[in-house]
């Protein structure tokens, strides 16, 4: 069985629709988005310049770095 660990990031209602915010799960910083009632999480570092992706914005289905 896989080792599964969960980190509580707070109530779902605390995430605003269409927004992105930074959250920390253990020592990992994440960019967490909420769009149409669904959540997504990515590394907080954007993959082209390493910037803070959690300070970016949603553009449709895409997360755009700041």
């Amino acid at each position: 069985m896989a080792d599964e660990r969960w980190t509580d990031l707070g109530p779902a209602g605390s995430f605003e629709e269409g927004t992105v915010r930074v959250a920390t799960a253990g020592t990992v910083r994440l960019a967490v988005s909420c769009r149409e009632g669904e959540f997504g999480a990515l590394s907080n570092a954007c993959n082209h310049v390493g910037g803070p992706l959690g300070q970016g914005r949603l553009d449709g289905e895409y997360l755009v770095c700041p």
Side-chain angles (χ1 to χ4, degrees), residues 1-2 4 6 8 10 18 21 23-24 29 34 38 40-41 45-46 48 51 55-56 61 63-64:
M1 180 171 211
E4 295 182 20
W6 294 90
D8 187 346
R21 74 180 201 194
T24 303
R29 292 180 54 84
C34 178
E38 294 189 14
C46 82
H48 76 283
Q55 294 177 14
E61 296 182 1
L63 182 53
V64 180

Side-chain angles (χ1 to χ4, degrees), residues 5-65:
R5 298 179 191 175
W6 294 90
T7 300
D8 187 346
L9 301 179
S14 70
F15 289 82
E16 290 184 48
E17 175 65 29
T19 63
V20 181
R21 74 180 201 194
V22 178
T24 303
T27 59
V28 178
R29 292 180 54 84
L30 301 168
V32 180
S33 63
C34 178
R35 180 179 167 270
E36 296 180 2
E38 294 189 14
F39 294 90
L42 298 169
S43 168
N44 189 49
C46 82
N47 60 358
H48 76 283
V49 294
L53 197 52
Q55 294 177 14
R57 63 181 172 77
L58 288 174
D59 183 9
E61 296 182 1
Y62 298 95
L63 182 53
V64 180
C65 61

